[in-house]
Amino acid sequence: MDNLESLRKEMDAVDAQMAALFERRMQLSREIAVFKAAHGLGAVDPSREEEIIRQGSAVVGDPDVRAFYVRFQKNMLALSREWQQQNKEKL
């Protein structure tokens, strides 16, 4: 059981790092929404999203994990689009 607790503590630490990174990403997404609104740009840039997914999946070494990471990125991008749209309406 000690090993399980140790693994869980390590996972909790990773989750905390991911939460902080997610929050920073959403802050940047808000700043991008402000820029896009100021320059009359649309919220969705499919070529940029494809680039993000391509670059992100390329650094995942485990091929079994890669497909899951792509799904993770697609969900994150959907949340970013939603966040940008929500913030764009507040501008």
Side-chain angles (χ1 to χ4, degrees):
M1 270 315 212
D2 289 337
N3 190 35
L4 178 59
E5 286 305 312
S6 175
L7 292 169
R8 285 179 173 166
K9 285 181 182 180
E10 186 174 352
M11 186 173 283
D12 290 345
V14 169
D15 287 344
Q17 292 172 4
M18 288 176 60
L21 290 170
F22 179 76
E23 184 174 20
R24 179 62 183 139
R25 189 181 200 292
M26 294 302 270
Q27 291 167 346
L28 290 167
S29 186
R30 182 181 333 173
E31 291 176 30
I32 289 169
V34 169
F35 181 91
K36 287 179 176 181
H39 293 85
L41 301 172
V44 179
D45 184 349
S47 63
R48 173 66 179 143
E49 291 187 10
E50 288 175 19
E51 179 184 346
I52 290 167
I53 291 168
R54 183 181 47 75
Q55 288 178 348
S57 63
V59 299
V60 176
D62 185 336
D64 293 331
V65 174
R66 191 172 297 121
F68 288 94
Y69 187 74
V70 168
R71 285 175 47 198
F72 171 78
Q73 285 187 301
K74 287 180 179 182
N75 286 329
M76 179 185 62
L77 290 168
L79 290 170
S80 291
R81 283 192 306 273
E82 183 179 340
W83 181 244
Q84 284 183 1
Q85 188 62 37
Q86 179 180 331
N87 282 278
K88 188 176 180 180
E89 292 168 359
K90 293 178 181 179
L91 300 176

